[in-house]
Amino acid sequence: MSKSFIALCMAGLLAGLSSCGTKRNATASIDALNGEWRIVTVDGQAVKPAAGEKEAFIGFDVREMRIYGNTGCNNLLGGLQADAGRGTISFAQAGSTRMMCADMTTEERVLGAFGKIEKYEITPDGRMTLMTAGGTAVMTLQKRK
């Protein structure tokens, strides 16, 4: 009886230790979001600043679970929720400033895309793809240097 109990305890301990390792890897994956990412495409179309526009980007502050950035015209800010293990991401209470710019095309595309994003994936070449729940690419990002 005692050998069975010890074997059961050891199995439980090993399972617990292996899940701790998984948790550490998941945290590292969320940390990979950290920093500023240039918006390269939205819904498959390239994003290039028009004359007078700023570069559109999203910044992720994983420690504070916040986002910030620029849509090409206005500043962007909000909350961040991400689960690296499941590859899910969402933005809470996201908002932007309300300046009028000469060309609002990029702004409208970027803001419109935020409502569709539910998943993310970071590829080995340093790109992040933000996707719908079904896996359709909504936005492609490249880490800023």
Side-chain angles (χ1 to χ4, degrees), residues 41-45 109 112-113 116 137-139:
T41 66
V42 176
D43 291 326
Q45 297 180 0
R109 288 175 44 212
K116 303 176 195 174
V138 174
M139 224 183 264

Side-chain angles (χ1 to χ4, degrees), residues 35-95:
E36 295 183 352
W37 297 76
R38 182 173 59 88
I39 300 173
V40 178
T41 66
V42 176
D43 291 326
Q45 297 180 0
V47 173
K48 296 190 192 279
E53 275 188 342
K54 297 178 182 177
E55 179 180 66
F57 77 95
I58 302 171
F60 295 88
D61 182 343
V62 174
R63 194 179 95 239
E64 298 290 324
M65 296 305 282
R66 309 276 310 146
I67 61 163
Y68 60 93
N70 191 281
T71 60
C73 176
N74 284 290
N75 292 325
L76 174 70
L77 56 114
L80 168 67
Q81 297 169 338
D83 181 334
R86 295 174 46 205
T88 58
I89 191 166
S90 62
F91 309 101
Q93 300 172 344

Side-chain angles (χ1 to χ4, degrees), residues 74-130:
N74 284 290
N75 292 325
L76 174 70
L77 56 114
L80 168 67
Q81 297 169 338
D83 181 334
R86 295 174 46 205
T88 58
I89 191 166
S90 62
F91 309 101
Q93 300 172 344
S96 69
T97 56
R98 295 288 186 183
M99 296 186 313
M100 182 58 97
C101 296
D103 185 354
M104 301 292 285
T105 306
T106 299
E107 166 116 351
E108 291 167 358
R109 288 175 44 212
V110 168
L111 292 176
F114 268 92
K116 303 176 195 174
I117 297 168
E118 294 187 37
K119 294 172 65 175
Y120 77 97
E121 179 179 88
I122 299 175
T123 60
D125 67 353
R127 288 191 180 245
M128 182 186 324
T129 304
L130 301 174

